Amino acid sequence: MATTVDGTQRTGDPGAADVPQQAARLLELAQRTADAAVADARQRAAAIVTEAEERALAREEKAREAALALHLESRRRHEEAERAIAEIERTRADAREQARELAGRLLALAEGGPGTPPVAGAEDGAGATADGARPAPSAG
């Protein structure tokens, strides 16, 4: 008679009767270990996915903020450009008006129109200059 690990007496092949029970216990232990490993792997995978999603959302938010900032800066620059263009157009219009006024004055002076002061050195129809002097006869 043989003594088993748990101290009981057995007859015949020692442990032969315990093999199916031990196999069942080992199988059950292996199954629990595998289940625990799978559960742990699932938890880790879920944590990794959650962290990746949070990072992606943070990157997306930063990208949106950057895009909005660029859009606002672009809009501000566009408005500045429009104001500058409007100022250039006003300046051009003012310059054209001043040029017209000057051209009109020069034309009036050249034609000797009424209300225009005589230009010094310019001859009247009788050959006298505006200051009343007659030009010297030309040698000819």
Side-chain angles (χ1 to χ4, degrees):
M1 198 178 269
T3 304
T4 62
V5 176
D6 61 358
T8 60
Q9 296 287 322
R10 301 249 179 201
T11 57
D13 187 11
D18 290 337
V19 170
Q21 289 177 351
Q22 288 177 351
R25 281 188 295 231
L26 287 174
L27 180 61
E28 184 181 336
L29 178 62
Q31 185 64 42
R32 282 185 286 180
T33 303
D35 290 345
V38 168
D40 186 48
R42 283 183 180 157
Q43 285 179 338
R44 287 182 188 172
I48 290 170
V49 167
T50 300
E51 184 179 341
E53 287 174 346
E54 289 171 355
R55 286 182 182 174
L57 287 173
R59 282 193 305 269
E60 184 179 332
E61 183 65 26
K62 285 181 182 178
R64 282 185 186 145
E65 289 172 0
L68 178 60
L70 287 174
H71 176 72
L72 293 175
E73 179 66 18
S74 174
R75 181 181 286 173
R76 184 187 63 80
R77 287 184 180 184
H78 181 77
E79 289 170 354
E80 285 178 5
E82 286 180 347
R83 285 191 298 272
I85 289 169
E87 182 63 28
I88 289 170
E89 289 174 355
R90 282 190 297 273
T91 302
R92 281 184 184 166
D94 290 347
R96 282 189 207 117
E97 183 62 30
Q98 289 175 357
R100 283 187 198 114
E101 289 175 8
L102 289 174
R105 287 183 194 167
L106 288 173
L107 184 60
L109 286 174
E111 293 174 351
T116 59
V119 177
E123 293 183 18
D124 63 7
T129 60
D131 57 5
R134 298 241 177 235
S138 57

